[in-house]
């Protein structure tokens, strides 16, 4: 049986002018960035400047980073549009009379968020594919980029859906979403730094305790930036400042187990975090329905 909420929301979103405008601006920005790179490269070759071919991969990385950042920035606004109509017209109270409503309602919102970002990725695929060919990047990286976009859309979407489900005011829901995302992104880094400093102060040897290193590793796995750094490292072969920060925490990024497992675990943790927020949203709506 087709989810009636998903069908209704998809028709509503498809008939709204905001979605095609979003796609147009999304593709236009990507195309503009790509054209700038091509013009810059051509001028460099014509004037005889030395041009390092490794910068090509960074050009693809900039375009893919724009796509990933767009997911995190646009998702709270997309979820806000999905909830604001129902809240303004007090439709949630009427929906709660339907059997199985919490699960269908929340999953419909989530599937629509994933569908919108998948549509944006597919719409920008010609530009991404051109960048991939132009910079000599393997097509596997393009597939991985699509999976990363869906992963971040799921992570950010579930957090947004949870707070828009719990909070009665859209302003508080939006603020809470941004705050929690910042806590995952920046708060975990600050907390890891606090554990490191505390360990150094308590130990007279000037070395970080192995238990603290393990805690810092868990905190970094909770950080969604770790998933991105795995993608970054697969393109450039180096994790840059992230590797320096890990070494600062006593984590050996050159260890084969770290390379083999950490980034996969960070992707899994990102997925599990989204599942937890999704389950909490369904549980909260089900509890509110019973009361």
């Amino acid at each position: 049986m087709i989810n009636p909420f998903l069908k209704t929301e998809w028709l509503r979103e498809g008939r709204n002018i905001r979605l095609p405008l979003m796609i147009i601006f999304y593709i236009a920005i990507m195309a503009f960035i790509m054209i700038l790179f091509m013009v810059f490269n051509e001028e460099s070759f014509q004037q005889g400047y030395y041009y390092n071919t490794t910068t090509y991969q960074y050009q693809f990385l900039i375009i893919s980073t724009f796509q990933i950042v767009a997911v995190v920035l646009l998702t709270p606004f997309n979820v806000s549009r999905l909830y604001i109509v129902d809240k303004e017209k007090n439709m949630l109270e009427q929906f709660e009379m339907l059997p199985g409503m919490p699960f269908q309602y929340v999953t419909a919102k989530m599937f629509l968020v994933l569908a919108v970002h998948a549509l944006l990725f597919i719409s920008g695929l010609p530009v991404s594919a051109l960048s991939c060919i132009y910079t000599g990047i393997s097509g596997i990286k393009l597939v991985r980029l699509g999976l990363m976009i869906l992963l971040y859309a799921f992570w950010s979407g579930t957090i947004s859906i949870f707070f828009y489900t719990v909070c009665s005011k859209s302003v508080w829901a939006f603020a809470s979403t941004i705050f929690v995302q910042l806590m995952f992104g920046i708060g975990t880094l600050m907390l890891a730094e606090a554990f490191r400093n505390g360990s150094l102060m308590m130990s007279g040897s000037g070395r970080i305790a192995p238990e603290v290193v393990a805690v810092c590793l868990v905190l970094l796995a909770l950080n969604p930036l770790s998933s991105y750094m795995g993608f970054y490292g697969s393109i450039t072969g180096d994790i840059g400042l992230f590797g320096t920060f890990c070494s600062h925490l006593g984590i050996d990024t050159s260890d084969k187990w770290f390379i083999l497992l950490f980034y996969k675990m960070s992707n899994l943790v990102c997925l599990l975090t989204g599942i937890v927020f999704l389950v909490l949203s369904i549980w909260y709506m089900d509890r509110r329905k019973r009361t």
Side-chain angles (χ1 to χ4, degrees), residues 118-156:
L119 183 60
L120 287 174
F121 174 72
I122 294 173
S123 300
L125 201 56
V127 180
S128 300
L130 177 62
S131 174
C132 194
I133 296 171
Y134 185 74
T135 57
I137 300 294
S138 170
I140 304 244
K141 299 296 188 295
L142 200 58
V143 176
R144 184 171 180 178
L145 173 61
L147 295 176
M148 288 288 297
I149 287 174
L150 291 179
L151 177 65
Y152 277 100
F154 180 75
W155 177 82
S156 181

Side-chain angles (χ1 to χ4, degrees), residues 2-275:
I2 299 177
N3 189 330
F5 295 106
L6 178 59
K7 183 178 180 180
T8 302
E9 292 291 350
W10 186 249
L11 290 174
R12 182 193 298 173
E13 190 72 17
R15 293 170 181 173
N16 200 311
I17 195 173
R18 287 175 298 196
L19 181 59
L21 286 177
M22 187 190 305
I23 294 174
I24 290 172
F25 279 104
Y26 182 82
I27 299 174
I29 295 173
M30 288 182 59
F32 177 72
I33 296 172
M34 186 62 198
I35 290 172
L36 282 180
F37 286 148
M38 296 178 71
V39 171
F40 174 76
N41 294 338
E42 184 177 356
E43 288 183 355
S44 298
F45 287 132
Q46 287 180 351
Q47 296 180 17
Y49 293 153
Y50 172 74
Y51 194 78
N52 188 356
T53 55
T54 58
T55 58
Y56 285 129
Q57 61 190 11
Y58 287 99
Q59 294 174 4
F60 172 77
L61 189 62
I62 290 173
I63 291 179
S64 59
T65 301
F66 162 76
Q67 294 178 272
I68 293 174
V69 171
V71 171
V72 180
L73 294 180
L74 291 176
T75 298
F77 293 99
N78 291 335
V79 175
S80 175
R81 293 205 317 268
L82 298 177
Y83 274 85
I84 193 168
V85 175
D86 295 340
K87 288 190 175 183
E88 286 180 350
K89 297 183 178 180
N90 297 319
M91 297 296 292
L92 285 176
E93 290 78 5
Q94 301 179 37
F95 290 154
E96 287 176 352
M97 295 185 294
L98 300 174
M101 175 268 181
F103 177 79
Q104 290 185 337
Y105 186 81
V106 172
T107 54
K109 304 294 186 184
M110 189 67 256
F111 277 120
L112 191 60
V113 170
L114 293 176
V116 168
H117 286 291
L119 183 60
L120 287 174
F121 174 72
I122 294 173
S123 300
L125 201 56
V127 180
S128 300
L130 177 62
S131 174
C132 194
I133 296 171
Y134 185 74
T135 57
I137 300 294
S138 170
I140 304 244
K141 299 296 188 295
L142 200 58
V143 176
R144 184 171 180 178
L145 173 61
L147 295 176
M148 288 288 297
I149 287 174
L150 291 179
L151 177 65
Y152 277 100
F154 180 75
W155 177 82
S156 181
T158 51
I159 295 175
S160 303
I161 287 172
F162 172 74
F163 284 108
Y164 276 96
T165 301
V166 172
C167 300
S168 57
K169 298 292 185 180
S170 297
V171 176
W172 291 112
F174 183 82
S176 301
T177 300
I178 299 300
F179 176 76
V180 170
Q181 289 184 350
L182 288 176
M183 287 302 296
F184 273 104
I186 301 177
T188 52
L189 299 180
M190 296 176 63
L191 195 58
E193 181 68 17
F195 274 109
R196 173 192 176 273
N197 293 336
S199 176
L200 290 177
M201 290 177 61
M202 294 180 65
S203 66
S205 60
R207 299 181 60 183
I208 305 173
E211 296 80 7
V212 176
V213 174
V215 171
C216 293
L217 198 60
V218 172
L219 289 172
L220 290 181
L222 285 170
N223 195 317
L225 291 175
S226 299
S227 300
Y228 170 76
M229 293 312 301
F231 176 73
Y232 179 94
S234 68
I235 294 176
T236 63
D238 183 26
I239 53 177
L241 291 176
F242 183 75
T244 304
F245 184 74
C246 289
S247 301
H248 176 68
L249 297 176
I251 301 172
D252 183 13
T253 56
S254 62
D255 185 78
K256 64 177 182 179
W257 292 111
F258 181 90
I259 299 173
L260 181 64
L261 296 177
F262 177 74
Y263 299 113
K264 296 180 178 64
M265 288 299 299
S266 62
N267 291 332
L268 181 60
V269 169
C270 199
L271 183 63
L272 291 176
T273 302
I275 293 174

